[in-house]
Amino acid sequence: MHSLRKGSDVLVIGGGIIGLVTAWRAAQRGLRTVLADPAPGGGAARVAAGMLAPVTELHYGEEALLGLGLDSAARYPRFAAEVADASGGIDIGYRACGTLAVALDADDRLHLRELHALQRRCGLESQWLTGRECRRLEPMLAPGVRGGLRVDGDHQVDPRRLAAALLAACERAGVGVHRAAAERLLVTADRAAGALLDDGTQLRADQVVLAAGSLSGRLAGVPADVVPPVRPVKGQVLRLTVPAAYAPFLSRTVRAVVRGSHVYLVPRENGELVVGATSEELGWDTTVTAGGVYELLRDAHELVPGITELPLTETLAGLRPGSPDNAPLLGPTDLPGLHLATGHYRNGVLLTPLTGEVMAQLLTTGELPPVARPFSPRRFSAARQESYA
Ligand SMILES: Cc1cc2nc3c(=O)[nH]c(=O)nc-3n(C[C@H](O)[C@H](O)[C@H](O)COP(=O)(O)OP(=O)(O)OC[C@H]3O[C@@H](n4cnc5c(N)ncnc54)[C@H](O)[C@@H]3O)c2cc1C
């Protein structure tokens, strides 16, 4: 039987870290907010490593995204304290530990030299180290490490704790959390007006935010020309445990490109060591494969041979919400009342503080702040129209 609920100011569809931060910030600003998700606080954050790495993850042509990442990274210390407070004391594991990107052979070294040059052109802080200097910093590194980049400003957070803290903060701020999936967007008089959930509930709201991660393009009822061009990009990750007797195993995030694949080791203060990640375009498949685990262990072992001594505690695969230009879609669509907060791809954890602020400002004032304007979903509707012209 369908039940009809009284309308809210805002409905957020999706309770991953992006939907949760949006709902929390909206409720903090006095908007009556509801959120729908069959498993809020889950999503890609259950798998993600939690690197906050705009400088080591810089790519050619992504300078605008760099600006967004740096802005969000700078907000993290204050954000972490605020979330801990708002959640009733959940520590999100923010750790200002820095990152070391290393090279194992001549090709990797060249690749890192190029990255270093690009970082310097962008005015970023990053220091070139010899292999010996890298090992002095991180004694567990393989003797074959040929050099590296020390980036003291790229940190980490624990995404699982972040998701749990945001869910608690939402509930404490009065967000109505519905543990059901949105089946269809409701559109009334050419305006988004809410959603029908798969338990029969209708949630009516003046504004709807679609934040369903890699599934954001699959909601029924969304007009074809505003469906977000988001796709799943699978990532497999391992979790190991560093016994107290081995600590400190690594003191910062260590990463490298090994035979063209990115591998990173992220050491948490509680002894967890996250090793990631594969990048696979395989639809919504989240199988952990022997091949994925093998490649991660092989590459991580080349970097830090001692990892084979550590207990392997978990293997998991998740889906990054990829977009055509690797940047998020933030802001209003061409359907009045429907906004997007999706497509954060490999940077969703990094971009959580900024996304919350930007979306709350949009929801309360109707204006997207200048920092987010280059990331409006309309950049793709314009491209679509050009391709049909
Ligand atoms: C292996 C891996 C490593 C990563 N490492 C990092 C990293 O180091 N640093 C970093 O910044 N980022 C990293 N990321 C990326 C980051 O995890 C994601 O960008 C981020 O978690 C996306 O959050 P989201 O809320 O947009 O989407 P999701 O986490 O996918 O959440 C979407 C939510 O929407 C819900 N949903 C879907 N459909 C519906 C519906 N119809 N109705 C209601 N709810 C629905 C789902 O249940 C889910 O809870 C990594 C990701 C992966 C997979």
Side-chain angles (χ1 to χ4, degrees):
M1 198 185 71
H2 288 199
S3 66
L4 196 69
R5 301 261 175 160
K6 219 171 103 229
S8 308
D9 296 322
V10 177
L11 163 64
V12 179
I13 298 175
I17 48 178
I18 296 302
L20 288 170
V21 78
T22 301
W24 172 48
R25 290 304 201 191
Q28 267 188 331
R29 282 165 177 72
L31 297 173
R32 288 169 306 135
T33 305
V34 290
L35 178 144
D37 190 319
R46 243 168 45 78
V47 184
M51 292 176 295
L52 311 175
V55 178
T56 25
E57 294 217 347
L58 177 62
H59 287 74
Y60 279 103
E62 293 187 2
E63 287 79 359
L65 186 55
L66 167 71
L68 205 67
L70 290 173
D71 183 324
S72 200
R75 294 169 192 255
Y76 245 103
R78 199 164 153 204
F79 176 79
E82 220 186 319
V83 177
D85 192 38
S87 64
I90 301 178
D91 173 1
I92 65 168
Y94 175 70
R95 190 175 175 199
C97 58
T99 296
L100 183 64
V102 300
L104 286 168
D105 62 23
D107 282 350
D108 297 347
R109 203 162 173 273
L110 201 61
H111 170 84
L112 271 192
R113 284 285 193 194
E114 289 289 317
L115 175 61
H116 192 212
L118 179 61
Q119 289 168 336
R120 291 173 67 144
R121 278 203 296 283
C122 294
L124 302 169
E125 275 190 39
S126 149
Q127 184 191 358
W128 182 263
L129 301 183
T130 63
R132 186 172 297 169
E133 287 167 332
C134 290
R135 280 188 298 279
R136 203 173 300 140
L137 219 51
E138 294 296 342
M140 296 305 283
L141 281 174
V145 165
R146 316 247 320 226
L149 283 178
R150 175 177 177 168
V151 179
D152 285 342
D154 277 358
H155 302 316
Q156 61 151 302
V157 71
D158 184 333
R160 291 178 177 178
R161 290 207 231 159
L162 171 64
L166 286 173
L167 181 55
C170 277
E171 283 171 336
R172 289 164 63 103
V175 174
V177 178
H178 294 258
R179 286 173 165 75
E183 212 167 62
R184 163 171 292 276
L185 181 75
L186 300 175
V187 179
T188 307
D190 292 330
R191 201 188 150 83
L196 172 65
L197 308 191
D198 65 359
D199 65 359
T201 308
Q202 271 191 30
L203 295 176
R204 294 264 165 197
D206 295 340
Q207 303 188 75
V208 178
V209 179
L210 181 52
S214 61
L215 287 163
S216 297
R218 308 256 292 196
L219 182 66
V222 177
D225 55 341
V226 298
V227 170
V230 174
R231 68 184 198 287
V233 181
K234 177 180 173 183
Q236 301 188 47
V237 161
L238 317 176
R239 280 176 166 78
L240 300 96
T241 304
V242 178
Y246 286 41
F249 189 76
L250 294 173
S251 62
R252 72 202 66 224
T253 297
V254 169
R255 52 188 299 157
V257 179
V258 183
R259 286 178 290 271
S261 303
H262 289 269
V263 63
Y264 49 75
L265 294 90
V266 182
R268 304 236 195 275
E269 238 148 30
N270 63 5
E272 183 178 85
L273 181 68
V274 184
V275 177
T278 64
S279 185
E280 305 160 72
E281 304 264 358
L282 291 172
W284 279 272
D285 170 66
T286 52
T287 314
V288 175
T289 63
V293 174
Y294 165 72
E295 280 168 29
L296 288 173
L297 283 176
R298 180 195 62 197
D299 295 350
H301 175 254
E302 276 193 42
L303 273 188
V304 180
I307 64 149
T308 48
E309 304 293 319
L310 304 179
L312 174 63
T313 41
E314 196 178 352
T315 58
L316 210 55
L319 300 171
R320 306 172 184 90
S323 76
D325 58 5
N326 300 335
L329 288 81
L330 301 171
T333 66
D334 289 333
L335 178 68
L338 179 66
H339 308 299
L340 301 182
T342 188
H344 290 70
Y345 189 37
R346 56 181 148 79
N347 289 310
V349 182
L350 168 66
L351 295 175
T352 294
L354 178 117
T355 301
E357 283 301 323
V358 159
M359 294 308 293
Q361 197 163 326
L362 170 68
L363 291 164
T364 44
T365 67
E367 290 289 321
L368 198 60
V371 64
R373 284 185 200 151
F375 303 96
S376 158
R378 293 191 171 123
R379 70 190 188 276
F380 296 118
S381 25
R384 254 179 267 193
Q385 273 157 15
E386 274 161 28
S387 73
Y388 293 134

